[in-house]
Short mmCIF file of all heavy atoms in Angstrom, two decimals:
data_model
loop_
_atom_site.label_atom_id
_atom_site.label_comp_id
_atom_site.label_asym_id
_atom_site.label_seq_id
_atom_site.Cartn_x
_atom_site.Cartn_y
_atom_site.Cartn_z
N PHE A 1493 12.81 65.66 -49.06
CA PHE A 1493 12.21 65.93 -47.70
C PHE A 1493 11.76 67.37 -47.81
O PHE A 1493 10.52 67.69 -47.39
CB PHE A 1493 13.18 65.66 -46.68
CG PHE A 1493 12.81 66.10 -45.32
CD1 PHE A 1493 11.59 65.63 -44.79
CD2 PHE A 1493 13.59 66.88 -44.56
CE1 PHE A 1493 11.24 65.97 -43.55
CE2 PHE A 1493 13.24 67.28 -43.22
CZ PHE A 1493 12.04 66.75 -42.77
N SER A 1497 7.77 68.39 -47.78
CA SER A 1497 7.15 68.90 -46.51
C SER A 1497 7.39 70.25 -46.48
O SER A 1497 8.48 70.88 -46.80
CB SER A 1497 7.98 68.14 -45.42
OG SER A 1497 9.35 68.53 -45.37
N LEU A 1531 1.81 43.81 -57.78
CA LEU A 1531 1.09 45.06 -57.45
C LEU A 1531 1.34 45.42 -55.99
O LEU A 1531 0.90 44.55 -55.04
CB LEU A 1531 -0.47 44.79 -57.83
CG LEU A 1531 -1.31 45.99 -57.95
CD1 LEU A 1531 -0.69 46.94 -59.02
CD2 LEU A 1531 -2.69 45.59 -58.39
N ASN A 1536 3.05 57.90 -52.34
CA ASN A 1536 3.60 58.69 -53.41
C ASN A 1536 4.48 57.85 -54.31
O ASN A 1536 5.53 58.25 -54.84
CB ASN A 1536 4.47 59.86 -52.72
CG ASN A 1536 3.60 60.76 -51.86
OD1 ASN A 1536 2.34 60.81 -51.98
ND2 ASN A 1536 4.27 61.59 -50.99
N TYR A 1545 11.51 62.51 -41.09
CA TYR A 1545 12.66 63.08 -40.25
C TYR A 1545 12.00 64.14 -39.55
O TYR A 1545 11.45 65.21 -40.04
CB TYR A 1545 13.76 63.52 -41.03
CG TYR A 1545 14.53 62.53 -41.93
CD1 TYR A 1545 14.31 62.34 -43.21
CD2 TYR A 1545 15.43 61.69 -41.24
CE1 TYR A 1545 14.96 61.32 -44.00
CE2 TYR A 1545 16.15 60.67 -41.92
CZ TYR A 1545 15.87 60.48 -43.23
OH TYR A 1545 16.55 59.53 -43.92
N TRP A 1569 1.26 54.78 -36.48
CA TRP A 1569 2.52 55.41 -36.21
C TRP A 1569 3.18 54.59 -35.01
O TRP A 1569 2.78 54.80 -33.86
CB TRP A 1569 2.25 56.86 -35.92
CG TRP A 1569 1.32 57.39 -37.02
CD1 TRP A 1569 0.02 57.52 -36.79
CD2 TRP A 1569 1.51 57.73 -38.31
NE1 TRP A 1569 -0.48 57.95 -38.04
CE2 TRP A 1569 0.46 58.14 -39.02
CE3 TRP A 1569 2.84 57.80 -39.04
CZ2 TRP A 1569 0.37 58.46 -40.26
CZ3 TRP A 1569 2.78 58.16 -40.39
CH2 TRP A 1569 1.54 58.58 -41.03
N GLY A 1576 -2.71 62.57 -25.78
CA GLY A 1576 -3.61 63.65 -26.20
C GLY A 1576 -4.30 63.42 -27.50
O GLY A 1576 -5.18 64.22 -27.92
N TRP A 1579 -6.93 59.40 -31.18
CA TRP A 1579 -7.63 59.16 -32.46
C TRP A 1579 -6.72 59.06 -33.58
O TRP A 1579 -7.13 58.87 -34.73
CB TRP A 1579 -8.76 60.18 -32.68
CG TRP A 1579 -8.22 61.62 -32.32
CD1 TRP A 1579 -7.50 62.31 -33.27
CD2 TRP A 1579 -8.41 62.35 -31.14
NE1 TRP A 1579 -7.07 63.41 -32.65
CE2 TRP A 1579 -7.57 63.64 -31.31
CE3 TRP A 1579 -9.04 62.09 -29.92
CZ2 TRP A 1579 -7.57 64.54 -30.41
CZ3 TRP A 1579 -8.94 63.16 -29.01
CH2 TRP A 1579 -8.34 64.34 -29.18
N GLY A 1582 -4.37 55.46 -35.78
CA GLY A 1582 -4.33 54.73 -37.05
C GLY A 1582 -4.75 53.30 -37.02
O GLY A 1582 -4.37 52.55 -38.01
N ALA A 1606 12.90 61.33 -28.88
CA ALA A 1606 13.90 61.11 -29.88
C ALA A 1606 13.81 59.65 -30.02
O ALA A 1606 13.63 58.88 -29.08
CB ALA A 1606 15.15 61.75 -29.57
N ASP A 1698 7.22 33.92 -67.13
CA ASP A 1698 7.01 35.06 -67.96
C ASP A 1698 8.11 36.04 -67.76
O ASP A 1698 8.15 36.56 -66.53
CB ASP A 1698 5.69 35.57 -67.72
CG ASP A 1698 5.33 36.84 -68.66
OD1 ASP A 1698 6.26 37.49 -69.20
OD2 ASP A 1698 4.14 37.13 -68.78
N ARG A 1705 17.11 41.33 -64.98
CA ARG A 1705 17.80 42.50 -65.51
C ARG A 1705 17.14 43.84 -65.23
O ARG A 1705 17.43 44.95 -65.62
CB ARG A 1705 17.97 42.42 -67.08
CG ARG A 1705 19.39 41.60 -67.35
CD ARG A 1705 19.44 41.09 -68.78
NE ARG A 1705 18.35 40.17 -69.15
CZ ARG A 1705 18.25 38.90 -68.75
NH1 ARG A 1705 19.21 38.45 -68.13
NH2 ARG A 1705 17.28 38.20 -69.08
N LEU A 1730 9.86 45.54 -40.44
CA LEU A 1730 8.41 45.29 -40.68
C LEU A 1730 7.98 44.26 -41.52
O LEU A 1730 7.28 44.24 -42.44
CB LEU A 1730 7.80 46.71 -41.18
CG LEU A 1730 7.63 47.75 -40.15
CD1 LEU A 1730 7.20 49.01 -40.68
CD2 LEU A 1730 6.56 47.21 -39.17
N ASN A 1806 30.21 49.03 -48.07
CA ASN A 1806 31.19 49.46 -49.15
C ASN A 1806 32.19 50.50 -48.53
O ASN A 1806 31.76 51.59 -48.02
CB ASN A 1806 30.36 50.24 -50.30
CG ASN A 1806 31.26 51.14 -51.13
OD1 ASN A 1806 30.97 52.41 -51.17
ND2 ASN A 1806 32.28 50.60 -51.80
N THR A 1829 17.19 28.96 -30.14
CA THR A 1829 16.48 29.93 -29.27
C THR A 1829 17.16 30.46 -28.09
O THR A 1829 17.10 31.55 -27.64
CB THR A 1829 15.11 29.18 -28.78
OG1 THR A 1829 14.63 28.67 -29.89
CG2 THR A 1829 14.24 30.17 -28.07
N GLN A 1832 19.02 33.46 -29.05
CA GLN A 1832 18.03 34.66 -29.09
C GLN A 1832 17.60 35.18 -27.70
O GLN A 1832 17.57 36.35 -27.50
CB GLN A 1832 16.75 34.23 -29.87
CG GLN A 1832 17.09 33.95 -31.31
CD GLN A 1832 15.68 33.44 -32.09
OE1 GLN A 1832 14.86 34.29 -32.10
NE2 GLN A 1832 15.77 32.36 -32.63
N LEU A 1851 7.59 49.08 -8.00
CA LEU A 1851 8.05 47.69 -7.57
C LEU A 1851 6.92 46.72 -7.45
O LEU A 1851 7.11 45.53 -7.46
CB LEU A 1851 8.67 47.89 -6.13
CG LEU A 1851 10.00 48.64 -6.20
CD1 LEU A 1851 10.64 48.88 -4.86
CD2 LEU A 1851 11.00 48.08 -7.08
N LEU A 1859 -1.85 35.96 -20.16
CA LEU A 1859 -2.48 35.64 -21.40
C LEU A 1859 -1.81 34.44 -22.13
O LEU A 1859 -0.58 34.42 -22.41
CB LEU A 1859 -2.24 36.84 -22.40
CG LEU A 1859 -2.85 38.21 -22.10
CD1 LEU A 1859 -2.36 39.22 -23.18
CD2 LEU A 1859 -4.38 38.07 -22.20
N LEU A 1865 -9.18 25.67 -33.61
CA LEU A 1865 -10.25 25.81 -34.59
C LEU A 1865 -11.53 26.47 -34.01
O LEU A 1865 -11.93 26.01 -32.94
CB LEU A 1865 -10.65 24.44 -35.08
CG LEU A 1865 -9.61 23.72 -36.12
CD1 LEU A 1865 -10.22 22.41 -36.48
CD2 LEU A 1865 -9.31 24.57 -37.33
N ARG A 1877 -10.14 33.58 -26.07
CA ARG A 1877 -10.80 34.62 -26.93
C ARG A 1877 -10.02 34.92 -28.12
O ARG A 1877 -8.84 35.29 -27.97
CB ARG A 1877 -10.91 35.94 -26.08
CG ARG A 1877 -11.75 35.76 -24.76
CD ARG A 1877 -13.20 35.33 -24.96
NE ARG A 1877 -13.95 35.41 -23.79
CZ ARG A 1877 -14.07 34.53 -22.78
NH1 ARG A 1877 -13.26 33.44 -22.95
NH2 ARG A 1877 -14.71 34.75 -21.72
N SER A 1878 -10.54 34.89 -29.19
CA SER A 1878 -9.88 35.31 -30.46
C SER A 1878 -10.45 36.62 -30.97
O SER A 1878 -11.74 36.80 -31.11
CB SER A 1878 -10.19 34.12 -31.52
OG SER A 1878 -9.56 34.41 -32.76
N SER A 1927 -14.69 33.42 -30.86
CA SER A 1927 -14.41 34.79 -31.40
C SER A 1927 -14.93 35.73 -30.49
O SER A 1927 -16.13 35.49 -29.92
CB SER A 1927 -15.00 34.84 -32.72
OG SER A 1927 -14.40 34.01 -33.60
N ASP A 1941 0.70 44.32 -14.93
CA ASP A 1941 1.65 43.27 -15.40
C ASP A 1941 0.92 42.40 -16.46
O ASP A 1941 -0.22 42.09 -16.23
CB ASP A 1941 2.13 42.26 -14.31
CG ASP A 1941 3.23 43.00 -13.39
OD1 ASP A 1941 3.46 44.23 -13.66
OD2 ASP A 1941 3.65 42.36 -12.39
N PRO A 1959 6.21 38.17 -31.71
CA PRO A 1959 6.60 39.54 -31.26
C PRO A 1959 5.31 40.24 -30.87
O PRO A 1959 4.38 40.55 -31.62
CB PRO A 1959 7.26 40.21 -32.42
CG PRO A 1959 6.61 39.53 -33.68
CD PRO A 1959 6.17 38.11 -33.24
N ASP A 1966 5.03 52.48 -23.83
CA ASP A 1966 6.18 51.55 -23.63
C ASP A 1966 5.92 50.79 -22.46
O ASP A 1966 5.35 51.14 -21.42
CB ASP A 1966 7.50 52.39 -23.45
CG ASP A 1966 8.02 52.84 -24.68
OD1 ASP A 1966 7.37 52.72 -25.86
OD2 ASP A 1966 9.04 53.62 -24.73
N GLU A 1980 4.45 32.03 -8.06
CA GLU A 1980 5.11 32.06 -6.87
C GLU A 1980 6.67 32.35 -6.98
O GLU A 1980 7.12 33.22 -6.27
CB GLU A 1980 4.86 30.72 -6.06
CG GLU A 1980 3.43 30.33 -6.01
CD GLU A 1980 2.56 31.28 -5.33
OE1 GLU A 1980 2.98 32.03 -4.46
OE2 GLU A 1980 1.27 31.30 -5.60
N TYR A 2000 8.99 33.69 -26.85
CA TYR A 2000 9.68 32.50 -27.45
C TYR A 2000 8.91 31.11 -27.24
O TYR A 2000 8.00 31.14 -26.33
CB TYR A 2000 11.11 32.39 -26.79
CG TYR A 2000 11.96 33.47 -27.17
CD1 TYR A 2000 12.47 34.36 -26.25
CD2 TYR A 2000 12.43 33.59 -28.52
CE1 TYR A 2000 13.26 35.58 -26.66
CE2 TYR A 2000 13.20 34.71 -28.82
CZ TYR A 2000 13.62 35.66 -27.93
OH TYR A 2000 14.44 36.75 -28.38
N GLY A 2032 -4.62 39.09 -30.73
CA GLY A 2032 -4.55 40.36 -29.96
C GLY A 2032 -5.55 40.61 -28.92
O GLY A 2032 -6.51 39.85 -28.84
#
Side-chain angles (χ1 to χ4, degrees):
F1493 176 52
S1497 65
L1531 201 54
N1536 298 343
Y1545 293 99
W1569 315 96
W1579 48 77
D1698 178 342
R1705 274 166 301 281
L1730 276 173
N1806 161 242
T1829 308
Q1832 295 182 55
L1851 294 179
L1859 294 176
L1865 282 185
R1877 304 291 192 284
S1878 184
S1927 294
D1941 285 0
D1966 279 2
E1980 308 302 330
Y2000 291 112

